[in-house]
Amino acid sequence: MNIFKYFGEVFGAIRSLWAGMRVTGYYSIRPGKVVTQQYPENRKKLVIADRFKGEVIMKHDSNNQHTCNGCGICELNCPNGSIEIISNKITNAEGKSERIIDKHIYHLSMCTFCSLCIKTCPSNSITWGQDFEHAMFDRNKLTKVLNQPGSSIRKEIKEVKETKEA
Amino acid sequence: MEEVFQDIIIKHSDDYIINMGPQHPSTHGVLRFELCLLGETVKYIIPHCGYIHRGIEKMCEKNTYQQIIHLTDRFDYLSAHMNNEAVCLAVENALEVEVPERVKYIRTILAELNRIASHQLWWCAFGMDLGALTTFFYGLRDREYILDIFEESFGSRLLHSFNYPGGLMHDLHPNFQQKVKDFIKYFRKKLPEYDQLLTGNIIFQQRSIGMGYMSKEDAISYGVTGPSGRGSGFKCDVRKHHPYSAYSKVDFKEILYTEGDTFARYKARIDEMWESMNIIEQLIDNIPAGDYTAKMKPIIKLPVGDYFQRVETARGELGCYIVSDGNKNPLRVKFRTPNFSNLFIINKIASGNKIADLVAISGSLDLVIPDIDR
Amino acid sequence: MDLNIYDFTSFTKWVDTALNSVMSPGWTMLVELVIVGIVFIAAYAVIGLYLVLAERKVCAIIQNRQGPNRVGPFGLFQTIADLFKLLGKELISIKNADQFLFNLAPFILIIASFMAIAALPFAKGLHAIDLNIGIFYMFAVSSLGVIGILLAGWSSNSKYSLIGAIRSGAQVVSYELSVGLALLSVVIFSGSMQLSTIVESQANGWWIIKGHIPALIAFIIFLIAGTAETNRGPFDLAEAESELTAGFHTEYSGIKFAFFFLAEYMNMFIVAAIASTVFLGGWMPFHLGGFESLNHVMDFIPPVIWFFGKTAFVIFIMMWIKWTFPRLRIDQLLKLEWKYLLPLNLMNIVLIAFIVLMGWYIK
């Protein structure tokens, strides 16, 4: 073997290794370049994107009213069966029979966060919540009822519709 | 070595068999290689897949076309956007819907961002396969920027079912353009660091140059596509040869290497990251205004017939074949996933090498196991 | 040396005479052995645990992470907590393993590194045993550890372990040569194999400075070969996480695994300590011939700090190497030794012999 080629190989190898060591050496003396975050400590300062898909929630206003009329389109569109709608038929003050929502059950454990329920909701009553800390000791706790207890459907929409018809 | 059978595997009862996987750090998931060893040398490799089979194709048959999309996220989770796009394009072509230009541009940008993110993760894992553990964190550090962009626009970082037949789920976040530009600026500075750390390294080059040679003929006959196939000189870039979305409007090179070894496949991916950044830079300032979705009926029914659409994912060519009988559910859906074809060349190119080379070669094929099993 | 404030000889003498005055010489000997043993066990555990922590911190900063920071301030008690966790773990017994050898293997590894640490000069007089062939003894004893690795791989009756152990055997046998030849270069320079004499010979400058280029080459070769001998860094083929899951200690659990882990880090410490003793002057402060005021200032820093500082520096280099490079393949590993390190080393030895003969090193 050519002796110059041999030493050329050795020095070439050392140079290439030094190039890599320069990169790691650069970071090894710069703790300021640390990019990781300290999660439980920085909980208060966490910035969660406002479109973050944490869980499906139902929008309630200050009067504990929502706009869901229990039409069941979200249940139809859900690919995994993670939404169940239980609705009741009641007779309203005018004597007509009307369907109102009893329970909007949401199984977070089965949800694949595909957004189809939210995209197809005709009354725009469900949306994404940004809560992401879903760890539980019991799977049953991941089954949620989205309409809050005692909540009622907001009448405005209906009134608007009625005025239109009139 | 004469005893190495590269195409036909003949088992003997006294073979020294090692099961690499299904739980093994370098198979990147639940893949099992049945290795026969002669000392350190691998005599043959039998890949066993099916450990993460979820029957996605069968599930598609009872779902509507909108519902299929979120299932496609789950086979190659690192190129989720491109998988979604395949179904969307197939449905749109079947219905002959004219998709707004804005959607095409956004889809192209997102696909390229996703490709960069995927190649970054591949780079991390490939370095780790070879024993350079620091690469893993540098790659993930830079990938975080892309995932943050995704999170802001779609709400999820990995499995963003953002496509919808006819367009997108919703419009982009107002910050999107600025953030993408910032990322490109940042990553153009960081990518040379990858070269210093790994590409130029003599140990890495010795481990990869000349290892796992795949000829162009092999690549074609096994159907190896994507950067793995292009490392062997197989011109298989769907973006170039059958352009979809906005790829016909941008000027980009098809990365081709003819060496066919691990290093060529490595270089093909590194160069694709540069090329993807070029594509994004051409498009990001020119996103046309307009609607984010075409007008679609709420219930999509494809006309009777069969439809095929292929896209280029980060790992190769994804084909989506839909047979429709006119109902709202497809009659049959078949996905031609790139990793399934890429996997089975492993015996051909890795047998006769050392165990360490097998790890490097399977890393250079960039396998995602859920994509193999579906 | 005229400055004797940091000399431990008088202290040990005083302990010896004090013990002799209250008991017979035989008992004195026994008590001294026990004291030295306890001190070394404590030092061993503390050094081993904090090296693990140091490695985790260094690699974390290199990788833009923070590293352990939960247990204690800056995570200082993290590895102690880990030790208690490992103590509480179940010792899984392997059904078809050779139980006797399986249990023996970690102890062989630990004992080998224990024996090596005994001959290290930590400071003037702080030296458990000053053999006249000290360097040879350490070199011989520290390579006993490979028997433990081979036994562990063989007796666990697992294919991954066996491959790892055989790899380690081939590796250590080859790199032993380079380690020995690199150390030989300093033996030629100093003309002695006794560690205390080697350290004393560096009173007017460390060998890496006095021996200039050949000593530097020997130092680099020693670092590479020493890293390889401890199965670390780019040469961790015996473990090879991405290939053999964990190599020779795949089947070990609990405290037996902790022994392997501790022994690996102690071996790293021993290699670094030998490198600092032989090439960087050991506990000898930074002296340059002719600069009396500088030498005088340097003397005020205690020798123990000099020793551990230099060792820490060498350990940092070894960690830096480990967290930068990809792993070599087994045939490349052997090629590096037999085709590059060994010929370079032999040339270097001849060069050093010539330099010493002509007196061209800095005296």
Side-chain angles (χ1 to χ4, degrees):
Chain A
M1 192 202 264
N2 189 343
I3 189 84
F4 293 105
K5 202 181 151 212
Y6 179 84
F7 279 105
E9 271 175 31
V10 171
F11 284 113
I14 290 171
R15 200 160 55 239
S16 81
L17 296 177
W18 176 243
M21 286 183 72
R22 237 184 20 224
V23 175
T24 45
Y26 173 83
Y27 288 110
S28 71
I29 50 169
R30 282 174 179 78
K33 296 262 180 192
V34 166
V35 291
T36 49
Q37 299 174 4
Q38 298 302 302
Y39 162 56
E41 283 86 16
N42 71 353
R43 260 174 91 175
K44 293 219 170 58
K45 288 182 284 177
L46 273 183
V47 183
I48 312 277
D50 49 355
R51 293 180 179 183
F52 182 72
K53 298 178 191 171
E55 57 176 343
V56 175
I57 53 170
M58 188 176 282
K59 286 183 273 190
H60 286 75
D61 60 11
S62 51
N63 303 329
N64 202 13
Q65 285 185 323
H66 56 76
T67 55
C68 178
N69 54 8
C71 64
I73 285 179
C74 48
E75 189 180 2
L76 274 175
N77 269 296
C78 181
N80 324 296
S82 46
I83 293 177
E84 281 175 58
I85 308 263
I86 298 172
S87 52
N88 284 347
K89 279 222 160 95
I90 55 155
T91 320
N92 63 3
E94 292 154 31
K96 286 177 189 167
S97 85
E98 190 191 8
R99 199 169 65 157
I100 64 151
I101 187 153
D102 182 24
K103 275 180 183 169
H104 187 295
I105 299 172
Y106 169 56
H107 300 278
L108 179 59
S109 52
M110 295 203 280
C111 182
T112 47
F113 304 96
C114 64
S115 280
L116 282 178
C117 50
I118 286 155
K119 187 173 171 65
T120 52
C121 181
S123 56
N124 203 8
S125 59
I126 49 177
T127 183
W128 285 116
Q130 273 72 48
D131 186 16
F132 62 95
E133 291 161 322
H134 295 312
M136 298 280 172
F137 283 105
D138 188 357
R139 195 190 295 173
N140 293 331
K141 286 183 182 156
L142 291 175
T143 298
K144 297 176 179 178
V145 178
L146 293 190
N147 49 337
Q148 287 168 8
S151 64
S152 57
I153 183 161
R154 204 184 299 154
K155 295 291 177 194
E156 299 138 44
I157 300 171
K158 261 190 177 171
E159 280 159 16
V160 170
K161 261 188 187 170
E162 277 165 9
T163 46
K164 251 186 198 170
E165 280 166 7
Chain B
M1 204 166 289
E2 296 85 26
E3 273 202 79
V4 173
F5 299 93
Q6 295 205 312
D7 276 309
I8 310 153
I9 293 168
I10 300 171
K11 285 189 178 181
H12 297 286
S13 55
D14 57 345
D15 282 346
Y16 189 81
I17 300 287
I18 272 195
N19 282 311
M20 196 185 238
Q23 282 124 17
H24 189 280
S26 66
T27 53
H28 303 283
V30 282
L31 176 68
R32 177 157 72 98
F33 287 135
E34 192 181 330
L35 310 181
C36 173
L37 297 182
L38 292 167
E40 279 271 340
T41 311
V42 180
K43 194 171 155 196
Y44 58 75
I45 305 141
I46 306 172
H48 293 267
C49 48
Y51 286 89
I52 192 166
H53 178 68
R54 292 148 298 172
I56 286 181
E57 286 170 4
K58 192 71 190 165
M59 279 159 83
C60 290
E61 290 171 19
K62 73 169 185 54
N63 280 338
T64 63
Y65 291 102
Q66 291 100 322
Q67 289 171 344
I68 289 174
I69 288 166
H70 90 286
L71 292 173
T72 60
D73 278 347
R74 268 96 183 154
F75 33 79
D76 182 356
Y77 44 76
L78 294 176
S79 39
H81 181 86
M82 289 86 111
N83 297 347
N84 294 344
E85 205 174 348
V87 180
C88 289
L89 289 171
V91 172
E92 284 154 14
N93 290 348
L95 293 173
E96 291 167 359
V97 178
E98 191 52 48
V99 178
E101 280 295 292
R102 180 177 174 82
V103 174
K104 290 184 178 173
Y105 272 68
I106 292 173
R107 278 181 181 172
T108 311
I109 292 169
L110 294 179
E112 292 309 313
L113 275 178
N114 212 330
R115 194 182 313 278
I116 295 177
S118 166
H119 285 341
Q120 280 169 339
L121 189 70
W122 157 82
W123 185 78
C124 318
F126 188 48
M128 209 167 64
D129 283 345
L130 294 169
L133 292 153
T134 301
T135 61
F136 193 78
F137 292 91
Y138 288 177
L140 284 187
R141 176 193 68 195
D142 301 337
R143 181 168 170 263
E144 202 67 11
Y145 283 80
I146 296 183
L147 295 190
D148 281 345
I149 295 171
F150 285 170
E151 186 184 341
E152 195 176 41
S153 262
F154 330 139
S156 44
R157 298 160 73 81
L158 199 62
L159 308 172
H160 35 74
S161 321
F162 189 54
N163 281 315
Y164 195 78
L168 306 167
M169 274 280 175
H170 44 76
D171 213 347
L172 288 174
H173 198 274
N175 291 346
F176 180 79
Q177 275 167 307
Q178 189 51 46
K179 286 228 169 154
V180 171
K181 276 187 242 171
D182 288 348
F183 165 74
I184 300 275
K185 211 173 146 194
Y186 166 83
F187 195 53
R188 276 192 188 278
K189 267 189 251 153
K190 289 291 173 188
L191 198 47
E193 215 169 67
Y194 290 20
D195 285 343
Q196 287 170 7
L197 196 61
L198 209 55
T199 318
N201 191 304
I202 182 83
I203 303 174
F204 171 74
Q205 290 190 352
Q206 297 239 323
R207 286 286 303 272
S208 57
I209 291 179
M211 290 301 147
Y213 174 70
M214 186 200 315
S215 67
K216 191 180 170 184
E217 288 70 36
D218 287 341
I220 292 171
S221 66
Y222 280 83
V224 178
T225 49
S228 312
R230 290 196 283 279
S232 301
F234 175 22
K235 290 181 186 167
C236 55
D237 198 332
V238 182
R239 296 174 292 169
K240 196 82 188 170
H241 301 296
H242 305 276
Y244 53 95
S245 290
Y247 284 114
S248 50
K249 298 186 183 65
V250 288
D251 171 41
F252 68 103
K253 284 204 302 279
E254 180 180 8
I255 310 294
L256 271 184
Y257 280 85
T258 49
E259 288 87 353
D261 55 2
T262 306
F263 194 66
R265 293 191 279 277
Y266 173 90
K267 286 291 282 181
R269 289 201 170 82
I270 293 281
D271 288 359
E272 270 201 6
M273 287 200 251
W274 287 110
E275 210 52 53
S276 292
M277 285 196 282
N278 284 340
I279 295 173
I280 294 170
E281 278 190 337
Q282 288 174 40
L283 294 177
I284 190 70
D285 282 324
N286 310 323
I287 301 177
D291 209 1
Y292 63 84
T293 178
K295 275 262 178 264
M296 297 291 281
K297 286 180 194 146
I299 293 171
I300 297 173
K301 285 182 180 172
L302 296 200
V304 180
D306 52 340
Y307 308 97
F308 183 68
Q309 175 64 44
R310 49 187 186 171
V311 295
E312 178 80 15
T313 72
R315 275 156 198 79
E317 183 180 320
L318 176 80
C320 171
Y321 181 65
I322 299 177
V323 184
S324 170
D325 57 353
N327 279 330
K328 61 176 184 175
N329 303 339
L331 184 67
R332 174 81 174 89
V333 180
K334 160 77 184 152
F335 290 105
R336 182 255 181 236
T337 50
N339 283 306
F340 188 76
S341 315
N342 292 3
L343 166 68
F344 285 95
I345 202 168
I346 188 98
N347 182 52
K348 174 106 181 163
I349 62 177
S351 61
N353 287 319
K354 303 273 187 290
I355 306 172
D357 287 331
L358 166 69
V359 171
I361 290 165
S362 76
S364 77
L365 290 175
D366 193 9
L367 301 171
V368 168
I369 313 306
D371 197 30
I372 297 169
D373 294 340
R374 308 202 280 291
Chain C
M1 211 162 71
D2 45 356
L3 200 79
N4 277 334
I5 47 168
Y6 299 123
D7 194 346
F8 284 87
T9 328
S10 51
F11 173 71
T12 45
K13 279 250 174 60
W14 174 77
V15 173
D16 190 48
T17 43
L19 283 173
N20 260 323
S21 61
V22 291
M23 53 184 82
S24 66
W27 277 105
T28 312
M29 185 74 182
L30 196 68
V31 169
E32 280 171 1
L33 282 180
V34 168
I35 290 172
V36 170
I38 287 170
V39 166
F40 269 88
I41 286 177
Y44 190 95
V46 170
I47 292 172
L49 287 177
Y50 278 90
L51 275 180
V52 177
L53 184 72
E55 166 124 293
R56 288 175 65 176
K57 274 284 182 195
V58 167
C59 86
I61 301 290
I62 283 181
Q63 296 169 347
N64 295 349
R65 296 184 287 125
Q66 289 209 348
N69 59 355
R70 291 296 148 115
V71 189
F74 305 106
L76 278 177
F77 306 127
Q78 177 67 49
T79 43
I80 295 168
D82 286 348
L83 177 75
F84 282 112
K85 182 202 76 176
L86 283 171
L87 276 170
K89 287 255 173 177
E90 183 191 357
L91 290 171
I92 299 165
S93 63
I94 312 296
K95 216 175 193 178
N96 290 320
D98 187 332
Q99 290 299 335
F100 176 68
L101 295 183
F102 186 74
N103 293 331
L104 184 68
F107 292 99
I108 291 187
L109 211 61
I110 282 272
I111 287 169
S113 53
F114 243 125
M115 283 163 79
I117 208 173
L120 277 179
F122 291 100
K124 192 175 172 65
L126 203 66
H127 199 162
I129 181 163
D130 191 13
L131 295 166
N132 57 357
I133 50 159
I135 202 163
F136 183 66
Y137 164 82
M138 289 196 52
F139 167 57
V141 156
S142 61
S143 59
L144 274 179
V146 71
I147 295 173
I149 293 176
L150 279 171
L151 281 185
W154 174 256
S155 62
S156 23
N157 199 16
S158 153
K159 288 172 179 174
Y160 281 126
S161 305
L162 185 62
I163 295 174
I166 299 299
R167 277 182 178 187
S168 166
Q171 179 181 340
V172 174
V173 166
S174 319
Y175 277 84
E176 209 78 315
L177 282 166
S178 279
V179 173
L181 286 175
L183 291 178
L184 199 61
S185 59
V186 174
V187 173
I188 296 174
F189 272 130
S190 63
S192 170
M193 277 184 149
Q194 197 168 4
L195 282 166
S196 56
T197 319
I198 291 175
V199 175
E200 293 288 353
S201 73
Q202 307 182 59
N204 60 343
W206 306 341
W207 279 120
I208 200 161
I209 297 163
K210 288 204 291 182
H212 47 90
I213 295 165
L216 191 68
I217 294 173
F219 177 67
I220 291 169
I221 289 174
F222 179 79
L223 264 188
I224 296 172
T227 317
E229 229 195 57
T230 49
N231 291 323
R232 262 186 66 82
F235 310 104
D236 55 346
L237 285 108
E239 288 176 36
E241 194 227 342
S242 63
E243 295 153 29
L244 306 176
T245 56
F248 62 92
H249 60 66
T250 309
E251 306 292 343
Y252 282 86
S253 63
I255 195 66
K256 282 189 242 169
F257 165 73
F259 278 175
F260 279 116
F261 206 59
L262 208 59
E264 188 196 321
Y265 281 90
M266 282 318 288
N267 282 333
M268 178 173 79
F269 174 77
I270 289 162
V271 165
I274 295 177
S276 64
T277 306
V278 167
F279 293 99
L280 303 177
W283 50 261
M284 193 59 78
F286 182 76
H287 283 174
L288 278 177
F291 296 90
E292 286 310 318
S293 52
L294 175 81
N295 295 352
H296 205 69
V297 170
M298 288 296 176
D299 280 343
F300 279 103
I301 302 171
V304 178
I305 289 183
W306 275 108
F307 175 80
F308 281 103
K310 287 168 194 173
T311 311
F313 171 71
V314 177
I315 286 173
F316 174 74
I317 292 180
M318 287 168 80
M319 287 174 180
W320 187 10
I321 290 172
K322 168 165 181 172
W323 293 104
T324 307
F325 297 142
R327 188 184 302 118
L328 280 85
R329 204 173 55 213
I330 182 76
D331 58 323
Q332 290 165 355
L333 183 88
L334 299 179
K335 194 174 122 191
L336 172 70
E337 162 66 16
W338 296 102
K339 284 181 81 176
Y340 293 96
L341 291 188
L342 194 63
L344 282 175
N345 220 335
L346 287 170
M347 272 188 263
N348 200 31
I349 288 276
V350 173
L351 189 67
I352 286 171
F354 188 68
I355 284 173
V356 171
L357 197 67
M358 304 301 283
W360 283 346
Y361 61 94
I362 304 160
K363 289 190 192 94

